């Protein structure tokens, strides 16, 4: 709960977010971040809270298709926007190619950073700026892995990146 | 975060007016972090995202206008920026992470606050956060701190990479406020700390940055952005150098060098730059220039390394900008 300063709290503001294909109409206080809303209001805890300051990337989501840190975004500023979390990337029973590649390449240990890593990697692949392993390392630098699974993460992303570029 | 009111103006005049009593928010990647740390405590946030300031377009004088609300990502990968102002693209992509650049805006990049840890730590004195309370950085952790243009009050640095390139390109900032529109030369936009480190820019209350104007010449053939930091990516500069040059054969006609990570603003020394006029391109020319620029450097126990580091970085950036090794 935020501290109160004596004056009445601003009224909650109604917003609608489309999250993983479903529309959610909710009321939020101005200071609720997208991360707060996902986890505490809509109870989608698949997006992880790490540093809460934009330094670790654990909270990465796709906002209108672009990867962002949900901890540094106010929900009230995103009325009508489309959000995809790790829970929304699989096609029914079929895992997303990056989920499959992370399993195949053993690209995780504790797994806490993985939702953010995979959402970030989806953004990286769709942006199309990475051409090499070096580029992947540079363009994944916003996602930390304290277990140090970086080499396998790059392997997984590289495989999907190469297969996407050969099919398009 | 402490409670605040949220305001979403749809025109500049309303935004300016609201901005006299609240804080503007665009991408929010720096402001929200500072609010979580209780460094910033705005009673009202004024959301600038509905003012239509997100476009990038060519100007009548052959330059380029970067909308204040265009994101750092959009700007860095814009085809005209990449082709004609590659130093700007390079500098933007040297900063932050892809996630942050997708949110962070051009106007907000200019208004980033320092990364001095004493500024972020509300238990610590800091003249910038609480004027008159003191500056522990001078005797404490000063690795990220200034060696040029600092004062007894404050030795903080400006953290932007983008601004270092904008200073080398001689950009202009267009602002709109309660008293109308005006333009501010990039050199005059950020202030040195003096005895008022809490005042960081020449913006007046209620003024909104609407655009960054780039002049026609982007030095696309002779440029370098070289950044030294403690890890290979996603770290603030210890020292960064934006260098651009105009050449005639092996003769340097003009050289401009802006430094990041060493002062409260992107640092340029026009007097020292005269040493780059009509000189041969070689390590001696570049070294003499670097020595002149760094002559007034003042170091602290934690950042003495920055003088030789800056000297080496300047020589390297000028060598790259003038293709010295390929001559």
């Amino acid at each position: 709960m935020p501290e109160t300063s004596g004056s009445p709290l601003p009224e909650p503001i109604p917003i609608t977010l489309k999250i993983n294909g479903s529309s959610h109409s909710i009321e939020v206080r101005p200071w609720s971040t997208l991360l707060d809303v996902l986890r505490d209001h809509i109870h989608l805890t698949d997006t992880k809270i790490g540093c809460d300051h934009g330094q670790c990337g654990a909270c990465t989501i796709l906002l209108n298709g672009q990867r962002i840190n949900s901890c540094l975004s106010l929900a009230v500023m995103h009325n009508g926007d489309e959000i995809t979390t790790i829970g929304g990337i699989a096609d029914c029973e079929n895992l997303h190619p990056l989920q499959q590649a992370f399993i195949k390449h053993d690209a995780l240990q504790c797994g806490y950073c993985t939702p953010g890593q995979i959402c970030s990697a989806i953004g990286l692949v769709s942006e199309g700026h990475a051409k090499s392993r070096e580029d992947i390392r540079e363009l994944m630098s916003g996602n930390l892995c304290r277990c140090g699974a970086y080499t396998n993460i790059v392997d997984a992303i590289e495989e999907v990146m190469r297969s996407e570029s050969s099919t398009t | 975060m402490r409670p605040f009111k949220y305001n979403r103006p749809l025109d500049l005049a309303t935004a300016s007016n609201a901005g006299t009593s609240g804080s503007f928010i665009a991408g929010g990647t720096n402001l929200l972090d500072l609010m979580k740390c209780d460094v910033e405590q705005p009673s009202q946030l004024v959301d600038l995202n509905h003012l239509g300031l997100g476009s990038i377009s060519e100007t009548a004088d052959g330059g380029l206008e970067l909308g204040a609300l265009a994101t750092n990502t959009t700007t860095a990968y814009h085809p005209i920026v990449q082709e004609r102002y590659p130093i700007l693209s390079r500098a933007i992509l040297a900063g932050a992470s892809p996630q942050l650049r997708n949110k962070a805006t051009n106007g907000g990049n200019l208004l980033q606050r320092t990364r001095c840890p004493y500024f972020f730590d509300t238990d610590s004195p800091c003249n910038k956060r609480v004027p008159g309370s003191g500056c522990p950085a001078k005797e404490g952790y000063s690795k990220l701190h200034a060696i040029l243009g600092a004062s007894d009050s404050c030795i903080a640095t400006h953290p932007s990479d983008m601004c270092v390139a904008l200073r080398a390109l001689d950009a202009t900032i267009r602002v709109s406020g309660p008293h109308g529109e005006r333009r501010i030369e990039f050199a005059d936009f950020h202030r040195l700390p003096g005895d008022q480190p809490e005042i960081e820019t020449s913006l007046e209350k209620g003024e909104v940055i609407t655009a960054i104007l780039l002049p026609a010449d982007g030095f696309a053939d002779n440029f370098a952005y070289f950044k030294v930091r403690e890890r290979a990516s996603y770290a603030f500069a210890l020292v960064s150098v934006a260098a651009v040059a105009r050449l005639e054969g092996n003769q340097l006609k003009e050289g401009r060098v802006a430094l990041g990570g060493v002062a409260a603003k992107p640092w340029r020394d026009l007097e020292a730059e005269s040493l780059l006029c009509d000189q041969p391109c070689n390590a001696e020319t570049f070294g003499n220039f670097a020595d002149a620029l760094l002559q007034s450097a003042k170091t602290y126990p934690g950042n003495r390394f920055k003088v030789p580091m800056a000297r080496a970085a300047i020589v390297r950036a000028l060598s790259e900008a003038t293709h010295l090794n390929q001559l």
Side-chain angles (χ1 to χ4, degrees):
Chain A
M1 270 299 274
E3 291 173 39
T4 53
S5 55
S7 55
L9 290 178
E11 287 301 305
I13 298 169
I15 62 166
T16 300
L17 297 171
K18 192 171 181 187
I19 302 169
N20 297 336
S22 303
S23 186
H24 295 262
S25 292
I26 50 173
E27 292 198 330
V28 296
R29 303 280 191 183
W31 49 89
S32 294
T33 64
L34 280 177
L35 180 61
D36 297 334
V37 166
L38 286 170
R39 291 182 59 88
D40 301 339
H41 294 228
I42 305 175
H43 308 296
L44 290 174
T45 53
D46 53 324
T47 301
K48 301 306 175 196
I49 179 167
C51 70
D52 207 27
H53 291 274
Q55 296 174 6
C56 76
C59 69
T60 302
I61 58 164
L62 297 161
L63 177 76
N64 302 325
Q66 287 201 311
R67 49 177 164 160
I68 62 151
N69 300 110
S70 62
C71 73
L72 290 183
S73 307
L74 294 177
V76 75
M77 291 170 68
H78 292 285
N79 186 28
D81 284 347
E82 198 163 314
I83 288 165
T84 306
T85 71
I86 188 76
I89 65 168
D91 178 13
C92 298
E93 297 298 301
N94 300 316
L95 292 180
H96 186 280
L98 273 159
Q99 289 173 308
Q100 291 173 358
F102 266 61
I103 295 168
K104 176 181 165 187
H105 290 279
D106 203 13
L108 57 141
Q109 288 171 43
C110 82
Y112 195 83
C113 72
T114 311
Q117 296 277 3
I118 292 181
C119 285
S120 188
I122 291 173
L124 177 146
V125 171
S126 73
E127 289 154 15
H129 301 303
K131 308 291 177 205
S132 64
R133 285 181 72 83
E134 267 314 294
D135 292 346
I136 294 172
R137 293 174 68 87
E138 168 61 35
L139 293 172
M140 285 297 290
S141 67
N143 292 82
L144 302 188
C145 169
R146 295 294 75 181
C147 302
Y150 295 110
T151 307
N152 296 3
I153 291 171
V154 175
D155 288 345
I157 297 170
E158 186 181 22
E159 180 178 282
V160 174
M161 190 177 87
R162 303 260 178 245
S163 73
E164 297 259 323
S165 60
S166 66
T167 55
T168 51
Chain B
M1 267 184 275
R2 291 173 190 258
F4 56 86
K5 292 186 190 128
Y6 172 73
N7 184 339
R8 186 189 295 156
L10 299 176
D11 63 81
L12 261 175
T14 312
S16 277
N17 192 35
T20 56
S21 59
S23 289
F24 294 126
I25 184 164
T29 52
N30 190 201
L31 178 60
L32 294 174
D33 188 21
L34 290 165
M35 288 166 67
K36 289 182 182 195
C37 295
D38 215 19
V39 174
E40 298 265 14
Q41 302 165 1
S43 58
Q44 178 185 207
L45 285 188
V46 181
D47 182 354
L48 300 178
N49 285 288
H50 303 272
L51 301 179
L53 299 171
S55 64
I56 294 177
S57 55
E58 291 180 275
T59 57
D61 65 355
L64 194 66
E65 175 175 330
L66 308 172
L69 269 287
T71 66
N72 285 180
T73 295
T74 301
T75 307
Y77 291 115
H78 192 281
I80 297 175
V81 175
Q82 290 201 306
E83 189 192 326
R84 290 180 43 205
Y85 304 94
I87 191 171
L88 180 60
S89 179
R90 194 76 65 83
I92 293 171
L93 295 175
S97 68
Q99 289 97 314
L100 291 169
R101 294 193 295 263
N102 279 344
K103 265 251 154 194
T105 63
N106 292 334
N109 193 305
L110 269 55
L111 297 175
Q112 284 180 81
R113 310 297 304 275
T114 184
R115 292 285 160 171
C116 172
Y118 303 105
F119 174 69
F120 269 78
D121 177 7
T122 54
D123 289 334
S124 156
C126 169
N127 286 325
K128 189 185 278 297
R129 184 168 31 76
V130 183
S133 62
C135 173
K138 288 180 294 183
E139 303 299 325
Y141 175 95
S142 57
K143 200 159 48 178
L144 289 170
H145 294 69
I147 57 172
L148 291 161
S151 70
D152 264 353
S153 298
C154 181
I155 63 168
T157 51
H158 193 261
S160 170
D161 289 289
M162 179 185 191
C163 289
V164 184
L166 291 173
R167 181 69 186 94
L169 291 171
D170 272 339
T172 304
I173 312 303
R174 195 175 65 210
V175 305
S176 178
H179 307 295
E181 191 172 286
R182 67 183 177 118
R183 293 179 179 208
I184 306 171
E185 293 302 317
F186 204 86
D188 303 325
F189 185 79
H190 296 102
R191 288 168 40 112
L192 291 176
D195 55 7
Q196 285 186 299
E198 71 279 14
I199 303 175
E200 296 173 354
T201 72
S202 54
L203 284 179
E204 288 166 18
K205 204 77 184 152
E207 279 188 321
V208 180
I209 298 171
T210 55
I212 299 166
L213 304 166
L214 302 180
D217 193 347
F219 294 88
D221 295 325
N222 291 102
F223 76 93
Y225 189 75
F226 181 58
K227 179 177 181 180
V228 187
R229 47 188 156 175
E230 286 196 311
R231 57 183 183 191
S233 180
Y234 198 18
F236 292 98
L238 295 169
V239 172
S240 70
V241 186
V244 297
R246 201 183 314 282
L247 297 175
E248 270 181 28
N250 182 31
Q251 192 82 357
L252 196 53
K253 302 312 286 182
E254 180 190 6
R256 300 184 195 167
V257 172
L259 298 183
V262 297
K265 60 192 288 183
W267 189 263
R268 257 182 85 180
D269 184 332
L270 301 186
E271 202 180 312
E273 282 177 20
S274 66
L275 297 173
L276 296 173
C277 281
D278 299 312
Q279 295 295 317
C281 282
N282 58 38
E284 193 188 343
T285 300
F286 303 156
N288 288 341
F289 162 75
D291 289 337
L293 186 149
L294 293 164
Q295 204 171 16
S296 60
K298 178 176 181 336
T299 60
Y300 300 87
N303 71 6
R304 293 202 177 103
F305 68 93
K306 281 193 171 184
V307 174
M309 179 180 276
R311 187 185 192 281
I314 290 167
V315 171
R316 179 166 162 165
L318 277 168
S319 301
E320 190 183 324
T322 57
H323 312 296
L324 180 60
N325 298 331
Q326 296 157 35
L327 286 172

